[in-house]
Amino acid sequence: VDALRASSTGFHDVFGNAWHWTEDDFNMLDGFEVSPFYVDFSTPCFDGLHNIILGGSFISTGDMASMFSRFHFRPHFNQHASFRMCSG
């Protein structure tokens, strides 16, 4: 995993290729407001059953291909999801 130049902290290819699961439940952030265009997109997932996934996968496009992407999926969803192993 060194196709790209390392970051200033020495990391290679940390985001992209696959969504990153987190242990955190999907919860609303401070200042969250429901969009009138997507009333049922996020709020049904503030239920403690959905984890946060970050970063986008190799099939993501546009703003979903950003390391700042934040979405919700239930634990059985593992398509294009991954985890990182680290040692120090």
Side-chain angles (χ1 to χ4, degrees):
V1 180
D2 61 357
L4 301 175
R5 196 173 76 237
S7 70
S8 62
T9 54
F11 291 101
H12 292 269
D13 305 334
V14 176
F15 286 95
N17 303 326
W19 287 99
H20 294 264
W21 275 101
T22 70
E23 263 187 86
D24 297 335
D25 290 335
F26 185 71
N27 294 303
M28 65 181 74
L29 298 173
D30 291 341
F32 173 80
E33 293 181 18
V34 176
S35 166
F37 301 109
Y38 299 103
V39 294
D40 62 347
F41 181 73
S42 295
T43 49
C45 300
F46 298 145
D47 57 7
L49 301 175
H50 291 76
N51 293 78
I52 297 173
I53 59 174
L54 302 169
S57 76
F58 66 93
I59 62 168
S60 300
T61 60
D63 62 351
M64 291 194 312
S66 165
M67 67 179 174
F68 301 105
S69 292
R70 175 183 181 270
F71 287 96
H72 47 81
F73 285 100
R74 295 184 85 168
H76 68 271
F77 179 87
N78 58 12
Q79 183 180 17
H80 312 302
S82 70
F83 62 94
R84 299 264 180 204
M85 303 261 323
C86 301
S87 66

